[in-house]
Amino acid sequence: MEDSAHPKRSVTVADVAKAAKVSKATAARVLGGYGVVSAKITDQVMAAAAALEYRPNELARSMSTGRSGIIGVVVGDIENAFFSLAVRGISDAARLAGFNVIIANSGEELDAEKSAVDLLIGKRVDGLIVTPARCDSIDHLHHIRRAGVPLVLFDRAIPELDVDAVTGDDRDAAIAATRYLIGQGHRRLAYISAMDAEGGGLTDIGRISNSAVRERVEGFVSVLTEAGLPNPLHYVRLGATDQHQTDGVIKRLLADNAAPTALLASDSLVGLRIFKSLQSLGLSIPKDVSMISFLDADWTSVTVPPITIVDQRVYEMGKLAGERLIARIERTPLAVERLRVSTSLVVRGSVATISR
């Protein structure tokens, strides 16, 4: 048994060099991944390092290379399957490039996001991927750039920040889903989002500080306007932040003199809450109310009937964001871009056809 009073000494580069019968400088080049070393010597050094269970000193390496080898990621809500999938994509891209990832969850709260950004910059991360809680309060994001830390936005875009952003085709996705509902004969459609808002209603799309939500609402409203339907903003409801709040949103919608016949959920968490709300009211999908949800979350395919969804390629979005950030860290010359990842509508059984 190991003597806890005399813990095992850390294995050094010099130890590896001695075991591999090479100079310390050569061992350092192999273990640090820099310089030119023959394949034979590289194999010798790596075999010695494995035998001795060598672990690199990350602090020393960061001091010598100027890099920590760490990427910071701030997501909106890790409970949401959307962000879980995105983090997988980011992590896979980072690992392939030799980076580790530190993840922080803002809970879509601006103050929590600011604290996470400060913490990660303090950890000397090589770059940051951030999902902004608000696209109209960005001083802390400007600070990231002033600190010289590469930044990529995820899921939301802020053109005035002049940094790369990886998003879905949010406006087009909402247009496709809404047109499908219109094509099935629906004339009273509601869009429901978790984004908080006093009163839950909306009179001005410009008030929406989340660019993804704003663009989806713009797409939704544009189709209703195109179809000649009156007062399209009447059925846009915000504030479905938890099950209790969603229950209230659904009850108020269904109590309307002209209750909607179809609901479009802004994400899979909201979609699941809506599904539970309708169940608790004894309502059947699609017999009583039709429904579409963003994201192909696991629950959407096991309900009866399965839910029609907007299929977002979230893993690809995350991987693309990770690759873009790494390119910025490596100083690859690229124009600043908003990279949109396309979506598709997957039709299942949750939308009824209404005879006109």
Side-chain angles (χ1 to χ4, degrees):
M1 186 173 69
E2 186 176 311
D3 185 351
S4 60
H6 299 88
K8 183 179 178 181
R9 180 177 68 85
S10 297
V11 177
T12 67
V13 173
D15 296 328
V16 175
K18 183 178 179 180
K21 298 180 181 179
V22 299
S23 70
K24 183 179 175 181
T26 298
R29 283 197 294 274
V30 173
L31 297 171
Y34 61 89
V36 179
V37 183
S38 72
K40 179 182 177 182
I41 295 298
T42 297
D43 289 344
Q44 282 179 220
V45 172
M46 295 308 291
L52 293 173
E53 297 183 354
Y54 169 77
R55 296 290 181 271
N57 184 325
E58 296 295 344
L59 177 60
R61 183 162 67 182
S62 68
M63 290 177 66
S64 65
T65 64
R67 291 185 183 174
S68 65
I70 299 171
I71 288 171
V73 180
V74 184
V75 297
D77 183 1
I78 201 67
E79 181 188 1
N80 191 325
F82 177 89
F83 290 113
S84 299
L85 280 170
V87 166
R88 274 187 55 193
I90 293 168
S91 299
D92 285 353
R95 186 181 67 255
L96 286 172
F99 288 86
N100 293 311
V101 176
I102 297 178
I103 301 164
N105 184 45
S106 73
E108 300 288 7
E109 294 289 340
L110 182 60
D111 287 344
E113 179 185 311
K114 289 178 178 179
S115 296
V117 165
D118 287 343
L119 174 66
L120 291 168
I121 289 178
K123 294 285 186 184
R124 302 180 65 85
V125 295
D126 294 326
L128 279 166
I129 296 173
V130 177
T131 300
R134 298 185 63 93
C135 296
D136 57 357
S137 184
I138 59 174
D139 286 349
H140 62 299
L141 301 179
H142 280 298
H143 174 64
I144 295 172
R145 302 200 65 207
R146 288 193 295 270
V149 178
L151 170 66
V152 171
L153 302 183
F154 181 77
D155 186 48
R156 295 149 203 183
I158 305 175
E160 57 268 35
L161 198 57
D162 196 33
V163 298
D164 298 311
V166 178
T167 72
D169 58 347
D170 294 300
R171 194 174 192 278
D172 289 345
I175 286 173
T178 310
R179 280 183 177 159
Y180 176 71
L181 291 171
I182 293 286
Q184 297 305 110
H186 294 272
R187 290 296 178 270
R188 300 191 304 276
L189 288 67
Y191 181 94
I192 303 171
S193 170
M195 186 173 174
D196 204 4
E198 188 175 346
L202 183 69
T203 57
D204 179 10
I205 295 176
R207 285 178 50 215
I208 302 175
S209 63
N210 178 318
S211 68
V213 174
R214 182 174 64 249
E215 290 175 16
R216 290 177 193 179
V217 171
E218 286 173 350
F220 174 79
V221 167
S222 72
V223 175
L224 299 193
T225 303
E226 175 186 278
L229 302 178
N231 194 14
L233 283 179
H234 174 70
Y235 290 114
V236 176
R237 300 298 169 95
L238 310 179
T241 53
D242 58 29
Q243 191 60 55
H244 175 71
Q245 295 296 328
T246 304
D247 289 345
V249 169
I250 296 299
K251 286 177 182 176
R252 287 190 294 274
L253 273 171
L254 298 180
D256 193 284
N257 288 333
T261 61
L263 310 174
L264 177 55
S266 63
D267 64 57
S268 63
L269 273 183
V270 171
L272 182 56
R273 291 173 193 146
I274 291 171
F275 183 83
K276 290 178 178 179
S277 293
L278 295 174
Q279 274 194 324
S280 70
L281 294 171
L283 297 175
S284 172
I285 298 173
K287 180 181 176 183
D288 298 312
V289 185
S290 292
M291 175 181 170
I292 295 178
S293 177
F294 273 75
L295 189 65
D296 190 13
D298 288 343
W299 72 268
T300 63
S301 62
V302 298
T303 57
V304 179
I307 306 298
T308 294
I309 53 99
V310 175
D311 189 15
Q312 300 168 279
R313 293 156 50 204
V314 185
Y315 176 86
E316 288 85 348
M317 287 173 63
K319 189 168 181 288
L320 182 57
E323 291 169 346
R324 193 69 172 192
L325 182 63
I326 290 160
R328 292 299 180 193
I329 293 169
E330 301 291 349
R331 301 184 182 278
T332 304
L334 294 167
V336 172
E337 288 184 87
R338 176 176 176 179
L339 305 168
R340 289 180 174 87
V341 176
S342 63
T343 58
S344 58
L345 188 68
V346 178
V347 176
R348 293 171 178 160
S350 64
V351 177
T353 301
I354 296 179
S355 300
R356 300 181 186 180

